[in-house]
Amino acid sequence: MGVAMTYLRLPPALEGEPDPGRIARLVFGVADWRRRHAAEQMIDIAGAWQGLHYLITGDPWDGRAPEADVVCGGRLLTEDGTAELGLDVIYLAPERVKPAADHLAHTPFEAIAGRYDLQRMVAADVQGAADWAQRPPQEARDRFLRPAYDALTRYFAAAANDGQAIYKVMG
């Protein structure tokens, strides 16, 4: 099983704390952090994260903002002293959420679906692609990646409308 990704949208300051690293410790430093937040604040894209990043940017890891900010972009807080959390947390500031939300809103899934090439994705070591290649050719794209993309589009729009930051948790 690969690494999964969950998103949590929060206000820029929490309990009077504006520092994203400290907020990450407050929020993710408890074992039941998922149950402490309303369902609409979170989205779990599980193992679709790297496949989505590849479709959005054309690369398994890199890309330009705002496209790359949807999945892999942001500030890795683990490097800022949150390693004790036991998971990686990537912080996307509200001023980066809005352009990413606009990009998603103006980029329908059909515009990125042409990058769905399982041979290239397997060669690029995109998580899950080798397993997807064992199924009917477009199954993962249409039943897994498309719904996750559509959900992320709505999620980013809500976060941008509310002026929220997004914390992406990998683990």
Side-chain angles (χ1 to χ4, degrees):
M1 180 169 177
V3 175
M5 184 178 280
T6 301
Y7 293 63
L8 177 64
R9 57 187 182 96
L10 295 171
L14 190 64
E15 297 177 14
E17 178 57 65
D19 178 66
R22 290 189 184 128
I23 291 172
R25 281 188 208 83
L26 285 171
V27 172
F28 305 110
V30 293
D32 65 343
W33 67 267
R34 292 173 195 270
R35 288 188 286 171
R36 294 178 180 230
H37 300 280
E40 64 271 4
Q41 286 180 272
M42 279 187 283
I43 185 171
D44 184 358
I45 61 168
W49 66 273
Q50 195 171 30
L52 285 172
H53 187 79
Y54 184 88
L55 294 183
I56 294 167
T57 67
D59 189 273
W61 294 104
D62 295 322
R64 296 175 299 149
E67 299 95 328
D69 283 347
V70 174
V71 181
C72 290
R75 186 173 116 207
L76 180 61
L77 296 177
T78 308
E79 293 177 348
D80 294 344
T82 58
E84 75 274 4
L85 295 175
L87 38 88
D88 286 332
V89 179
I90 302 168
Y91 170 74
L92 194 63
E95 58 271 11
R96 289 176 69 176
V97 169
K98 174 76 169 113
D102 291 344
H103 174 76
L104 288 168
H106 294 97
T107 309
F109 186 79
E110 291 73 25
I112 65 169
R115 290 192 178 122
Y116 184 78
D117 180 328
L118 285 173
Q119 287 182 331
R120 286 185 180 177
M121 294 170 76
V122 168
D125 203 25
V126 171
Q127 176 180 284
D131 293 332
W132 301 335
Q134 304 304 312
R135 298 179 177 180
Q138 307 306 320
E139 181 179 320
R141 184 193 71 192
D142 295 337
R143 296 184 69 201
F144 190 53
L145 297 171
R146 179 187 302 266
Y149 184 83
D150 293 342
L152 274 178
T153 300
R154 292 187 301 274
Y155 184 82
F156 267 79
N161 287 339
D162 292 344
Q164 294 177 316
I166 293 179
Y167 291 79
K168 304 172 213 174
V169 181
M170 296 181 75

